[in-house]
Amino acid sequence: MDKKIVIIPTYNEKENIEAIIRKVFSLSVHFDILIVDDGSPDGTGAIVKGLQQQFPALHFLERTEKNGLGTAYIAGFKWCLEKGYEYVFEMDADFSHNPEDLPRLYDACKNGADMSIGSRYVTGVNVVNWPMSRVILSYFASKYVRMITSLPIHDTTAGFVCYRISVLKRIELDKIKFRGYAFQIEMKFTAWKHGFKLTEVPIIFTDRTLGQSKISKNIIREAVWGVLALKIKSWFKKY
């Protein structure tokens, strides 16, 4: 049986964390879970620790401070590399990504993709509960990224992803610099430049109903300017 693990980064997700863990473990296809928590002051970590006795496949990586989505995932990737997993997934804690779609992302990688992406935009715009301003911002952000980088995918900022472990072994994780949503762009761009096959799997993205969004103006600014820096850097870098 393939060793599969879902990394879920958390910061103040006490309203969602137990439900998302139970949902993943209820699926007919088995996935381990790694929660990477940035020292949530709301007790998220205590909830996870309390569930570990019930779920042996639930793992917990506790960090001391809030240090960005990108660094949380990099820490999780390194942990998974040490433990010998074959497929590693990224997923949000707030049910904006439907855990029922995890097997579809897994199947896409099993059937030839190196990186499968849960895509909001590959078949139009499949977003629920977002205000129109947020939909427009996200949609045209992906258009902007495609224009600058030539990435051959529609949802460049997607955070619902499956990696074959070969991708994470090849990418120099310590050289991935972005911390916010630009991290998602950098990982896809780097994998693509290394020659890995990226495939989009259509999903419906549903905005969180509990807890608070972590997006900020600094994160948006990083993505806008970071994409330009990423492209320029690629002119001088051998992949």
Side-chain angles (χ1 to χ4, degrees), residues 91-109:
M91 189 176 75
D92 290 349
D94 60 8
F95 284 94
S96 54
H97 303 141
N98 187 348
E100 296 280 357
D101 290 324
L102 284 168
R104 298 173 58 231
L105 294 180
Y106 170 57
D107 287 342
C109 279

Side-chain angles (χ1 to χ4, degrees), residues 120-121 127-132 134-135 138-139 205 207-208:
R120 298 163 290 186
Y121 306 129
V127 176
V128 177
N129 289 344
W130 262 6
M132 186 54 65
R134 182 90 182 266
V135 174
S138 175
Y139 180 78
F205 178 96
D207 195 23
R208 67 163 64 236

Side-chain angles (χ1 to χ4, degrees), residues 181-209:
Y181 288 95
F183 162 81
Q184 302 292 2
I185 301 166
E186 187 175 9
M187 287 296 294
K188 295 177 184 67
F189 182 75
T190 305
W192 175 61
K193 292 295 283 185
H194 275 299
F196 289 110
K197 180 181 178 182
L198 280 58
T199 297
E200 291 184 272
V201 176
I203 64 162
I204 296 174
F205 178 96
T206 304
D207 195 23
R208 67 163 64 236
T209 57

